[in-house]
Amino acid sequence: MTQGTLSEQEVKTARLIGKLVGEEKGPTLIFFGGIHGNEPSGVVALERVFEEIIRNNYPLKGAVYGIRGNIPALLRKKRFLETDLNRIWYKTQIELILRKREEDCSIEEKELLGIHKEIFTILETAAAPYYFVDFHTTSSPTLPFITINDALINRNFSSLFPVPVILGIEEYLEGPLLSYINELGYVSLGFESGQHNTDAAAICSIAFTWLTMIYSGFLDEKHVDVENQIKALQKYAESNRTFYEVIYRHAIKETSTFKMLPGFKSFDYIRKGTFLALHNSKEIKAKKDTIIFMPLYQDQGEEGFFLIREIPSWVLSFSASLRRWKTDTLLTMLPGVSWSQPSKEQLKVNLRVARFFSKPFFHLLGYRNKTADRSHLILSNRERVAKKEMYRNTFWFK
Ligand SMILES: [Zn+2]
C-alpha cells in the first residue's frame, strides 16, 4: 500500500486507496470506490483485497490502482454535497472545469479535477491494456449487476461474471464517469454490488475485485479460491446472468416530490397497472408488463426508477456479427446518411431518413447517445472508438 505511516484520517482522505505494481508486465486495473459518498462498499472491498495481496505477497503481473471518489461526501456519508460527481463527466463540462480557478470550483468539481489527474497520470505511466471498474451500491434491494456502455469489449469482458448486465443506461444519464472513460476506448464496467451498506454489497464487491484481477491476467488464479468468488456472486445474483437494456427513465427534478411505494426491488417483474410511485401527488402506474430497475429509496437522486427489458441472446450475437462486418458502412450509401467526422465515430442521419429506422436498429450496430439538431440525428458509435487492438491477445476477446 502507498499510505506508509499516515494517520487514520489521512488514509481516509487520500485519493489513492492503494497502488500495487507487479514484477512482471501485465494489464493495468483502475478501480473507483465511493464516487457517491453514501456508497462506501467499494472502498472497503478494495482496502480488504489490497491488504490480503500485501499480506500474502502474491506475485502480480501489471499494476492495480484503487481510487477514492468523492472524499468530502464519503466523510459525510452523503451521495454528494453540491453536485452529483457522477453526472459531470462530459467533455465540454470537463474543459470548462479545467479552465476554472480552483477557488471558483464546486466541491465536486475539485474532486473531478483530482480524479481526472490521477486517471491521466496512470494512462501516461502504466502499460496497456487498461481495465476500469467503478463500484456503486443502490438505495433499494437488488441483485448485484454490471452496467456498461454497449461496446463489444465491454460486453465480452462483462459476460465472464455470473451477474446480470445492463446496457444502454448512459443514453439516459448525462455525464457518468464510465461513459467518459468508455469514450476514451477502454474496457469500463460499472458494478452495483447490492443495497447500500449491506454485507451482500461488501461480499460481492470483494468477489468482483478478485475476479477482475484474475480474468484480466493480473493475478494467477492459484492464489484465490475462484470457485467460491463465483459462487458468492451467483448466489446473490440468483443465478441470473441475463443481458438487459434500459427502456425508460423516470426523471425527477429537484423541485418535485417523489415517493416510491415500498417493497420494490431491482429486476422485479411488474404487472401492467401496478401502482409504483407518487410524483407531485400524482399516481404513477406501470403502462405495461415490465421489469423495474433501481427504484429510488433515498432523498438524493435524479432518477425515480428505470424500466428494463431482456435482450434475447440471438439479438446479442446478431448485433456482434453486424458490428464485426462494419455493416454501418453500407448505411452511408443511403441518401441522407453520412459520417459526421472523418474518423467515422459519429453518423449524421437526416431526420427524414431516420424515421424509417427504429432506435433498436441503430443499437444493433453499436450506436448510442443520440443528440439531434433540427434536421439531423448525430449518433455516436461505441465500436469505432473502442481500442480493440489493446485487448487482441486476451483470452476473453479472441
Ligand atoms: Zn452510485
Side-chain angles (χ1 to χ4, degrees):
M1 302 276 268
T2 51
Q3 55 250 40
T5 54
L6 299 179
S7 71
E8 203 181 329
Q9 184 62 17
E10 284 169 314
V11 170
K12 275 194 209 146
T13 57
R15 182 65 64 201
L16 273 187
I17 296 164
K19 169 186 170 182
L20 303 168
V21 181
E23 307 235 314
E24 283 186 65
K25 280 189 184 151
T28 299
L29 318 186
I30 302 106
F31 291 94
F32 302 96
I35 290 288
H36 288 136
N38 60 336
E39 303 173 16
S41 298
V43 176
V44 175
L46 293 169
E47 286 170 346
R48 297 252 181 93
V49 171
F50 280 51
E51 274 163 24
E52 196 170 329
I53 292 175
I54 294 166
R55 195 169 354 112
N56 294 297
N57 202 14
Y58 294 144
L60 307 171
K61 289 181 187 150
V64 62
Y65 296 79
I67 297 177
R68 215 174 248 103
N70 195 338
I71 296 167
L74 274 164
L75 293 172
R76 306 255 311 262
K77 300 184 168 64
K78 297 196 78 165
R79 181 177 170 91
F80 59 85
L81 300 181
E82 292 180 338
T83 38
D84 191 329
L85 179 57
N86 208 26
R87 296 291 182 275
I88 51 177
W89 291 85
Y90 42 99
K91 272 186 194 145
T92 47
Q93 179 75 11
I94 293 172
E95 279 162 21
L96 209 76
I97 299 170
L98 286 170
R99 281 202 302 269
K100 274 190 186 180
R101 286 184 311 185
E102 203 183 324
E103 59 265 37
D104 296 333
C105 287
S106 72
I107 292 172
E108 274 77 17
E109 286 173 346
K110 282 184 200 151
E111 293 303 288
L112 178 143
L113 288 174
I115 297 165
H116 187 270
K117 193 170 145 207
E118 207 65 63
I119 293 171
F120 280 88
T121 309
I122 294 169
L123 290 174
E124 276 161 26
T125 54
Y130 304 107
Y131 295 82
F132 288 84
V133 174
D134 186 15
F135 283 123
H136 288 263
T137 50
T138 67
S139 60
S140 64
T142 183
L143 314 179
F145 62 90
I146 293 171
T147 59
I148 50 168
N149 287 19
D150 186 16
L152 293 178
I153 49 171
N154 285 338
R155 262 201 214 175
N156 289 8
F157 193 66
S158 302
S159 63
L160 301 172
F161 298 84
V163 297
V165 179
I166 317 296
L167 306 180
I169 199 164
E170 81 278 6
E171 231 171 313
Y172 297 88
L173 302 179
E174 191 84 69
L177 166 65
L178 277 188
S179 292
Y180 176 71
I181 289 166
N182 197 73
E183 276 160 28
L184 300 175
Y186 308 120
V187 165
S188 38
L189 276 54
F191 183 61
E192 304 265 359
S193 61
Q195 192 174 17
H196 300 332
N197 301 305
T198 55
D199 287 347
I203 292 166
C204 290
S205 312
I206 291 171
F208 201 85
T209 308
W210 285 123
L211 291 179
T212 305
M213 289 177 167
I214 287 161
Y215 295 150
S216 63
F218 172 75
L219 184 64
D220 195 291
E221 61 181 307
K222 69 179 179 217
H223 302 300
V224 181
D225 189 345
V226 180
E227 272 311 301
N228 255 335
Q229 308 302 334
I230 292 174
K231 269 190 202 146
L233 287 181
Q234 247 164 4
K235 179 183 128 195
Y236 288 106
E238 297 171 5
S239 296
N240 180 345
R241 53 193 307 172
T242 308
F243 275 70
Y244 297 86
E245 69 177 327
V246 176
I247 50 171
Y248 174 75
R249 164 187 184 251
H250 191 84
I252 45 178
K253 293 208 178 80
E254 233 178 293
T255 49
S256 56
T257 60
F258 179 84
K259 180 126 187 57
M260 194 78 210
L261 264 70
F264 291 107
K265 181 168 155 251
S266 278
F267 301 96
D268 276 352
Y269 283 88
I270 301 294
R271 281 275 182 214
K272 180 181 172 178
T274 304
F275 185 7
L276 299 172
L278 271 174
H279 190 174
N280 291 334
S281 314
K282 202 180 136 219
E283 291 185 8
I284 307 295
K285 290 183 175 169
K287 292 198 176 82
K288 54 182 181 185
D289 291 356
T290 185
I291 304 169
I292 198 138
F293 183 59
M294 292 213 277
L296 186 72
Y297 290 109
Q298 65 188 14
D299 296 337
Q300 287 180 308
E302 294 165 4
E303 290 82 35
F305 59 88
F306 293 88
L307 299 176
I308 55 174
R309 70 172 167 216
E310 289 178 26
I311 309 176
S313 54
W314 73 265
V315 173
L316 287 170
S317 34
F318 181 53
S319 73
S321 307
L322 289 177
R323 293 179 200 189
R324 286 200 191 97
W325 300 330
K326 295 208 162 72
T327 319
D328 51 356
T329 305
L330 291 175
L331 278 179
T332 57
M333 293 172 161
L334 291 170
V337 183
S338 59
W339 301 114
S340 82
Q341 312 136 315
S343 56
K344 301 184 176 176
E345 287 164 18
Q346 290 184 331
L347 211 55
K348 193 172 166 185
V349 187
N350 188 301
L351 282 177
R352 278 178 296 144
V353 175
R355 67 194 163 97
F356 292 109
F357 298 100
S358 63
K359 200 163 149 181
F361 174 76
F362 287 109
H363 284 175
L364 281 177
L365 296 171
Y367 286 89
R368 298 260 168 189
N369 254 14
K370 164 170 89 172
T371 50
D373 63 23
R374 228 182 272 164
S375 55
H376 287 87
L377 287 179
I378 303 288
L379 301 166
S380 327
N381 191 312
R382 299 290 178 213
E383 288 319 325
R384 286 179 187 267
V385 294
K387 296 193 165 68
K388 293 189 203 72
E389 273 309 310
M390 186 179 282
Y391 304 98
R392 197 59 77 195
N393 295 320
T394 62
F395 80 92
W396 55 266
F397 193 65
K398 270 178 190 164

